[in-house]
Amino acid sequence: MPKLINLPKIADPRGNLSFFEENNQIPFAIKRTYWIYDVPGGETRGGHAFKQQKEFIVALSGSFEVVVNNGNKEEVFLLNRSYTGLYIPNKIWRQMRNFSTNSLALIVTDTDYSEEDYIRNFDDFTKFINLK
Ligand code: TYD
């Protein structure tokens, strides 16, 4: 299941610093980075699962919730710290919601972008995980 990962925080009166490295703080090698920003109030993102792709999500600014579902159980994670991220393995349905004004979601993944890796229908998702 998805899990929160606390990242190093180098506290400094000049401003704090956090970081993560592939196969160290996060359990995969990074292939791609994207970010979600300028989300209008009330909008949601996600609403799909990945067959293979793993992700790590950090709220670099502001806050939002990530709702995850493994087909049996739903969990809601609030991301609102620059030093805590959410690891989401493959085969997990997810939706992002309740974005605060000016929030910024940073996402790193272990794959190139591939539409074939998406499962965009929840019924197809439950069929997929029950087949595998
Ligand atoms: P999508 O992953 O569906 O967005 P969400 O974060 O809400 O799940 O991606 C939206 C569109 O952006 C989709 O048409 C494909 C494109 N896209 C890329 O071209 N490259 C990428 O790395 C990502 C994440 C999306």
Side-chain angles (χ1 to χ4, degrees):
M1 275 299 277
K3 62 171 186 194
L4 290 173
I5 296 177
N6 276 317
L7 301 171
K9 178 180 179 182
I10 315 296
D12 191 310
R14 300 171 301 159
N16 300 329
L17 182 153
S18 290
F19 61 88
F20 56 86
E21 296 170 328
E22 60 183 11
N23 292 322
N24 188 351
Q25 287 82 14
I26 64 168
F28 59 82
I30 298 166
K31 190 81 185 254
R32 178 164 47 100
T33 304
Y34 64 97
W35 50 100
I36 295 173
Y37 54 100
D38 290 349
V39 179
E43 282 293 347
T44 61
R45 302 284 320 207
H48 53 71
F50 295 112
K51 297 171 193 164
Q52 300 292 341
Q53 182 178 306
K54 303 172 177 66
E55 291 196 328
F56 181 67
I57 306 176
V58 188
L60 285 186
S61 178
S63 65
F64 50 85
E65 291 176 327
V66 187
V67 186
V68 294
N69 192 319
N70 67 356
N72 292 311
K73 189 170 156 225
E74 181 176 289
E75 276 187 88
V76 182
F77 292 94
L78 173 66
L79 295 185
N80 60 357
R81 298 279 181 262
S82 306
Y83 53 83
T84 305
L86 181 66
Y87 168 63
I88 308 185
N90 56 332
K91 300 190 212 171
I92 298 286
W93 187 267
R94 93 287 312 280
Q95 190 187 50
M96 299 163 74
R97 68 182 187 194
N98 291 344
F99 288 87
S100 69
T101 304
N102 288 329
S103 57
L104 170 60
L106 177 77
I107 299 116
V108 295
T109 87
D110 66 336
T111 67
D112 286 332
Y113 173 75
S114 164
E115 185 58 35
E116 285 71 58
D117 196 49
Y118 282 72
I119 306 171
R120 293 192 180 272
N121 174 285
F122 192 78
D123 283 342
D124 292 344
F125 167 64
T126 54
K127 280 182 201 138
F128 181 81
I129 53 176
N130 286 324
L131 282 175
K132 296 273 156 170

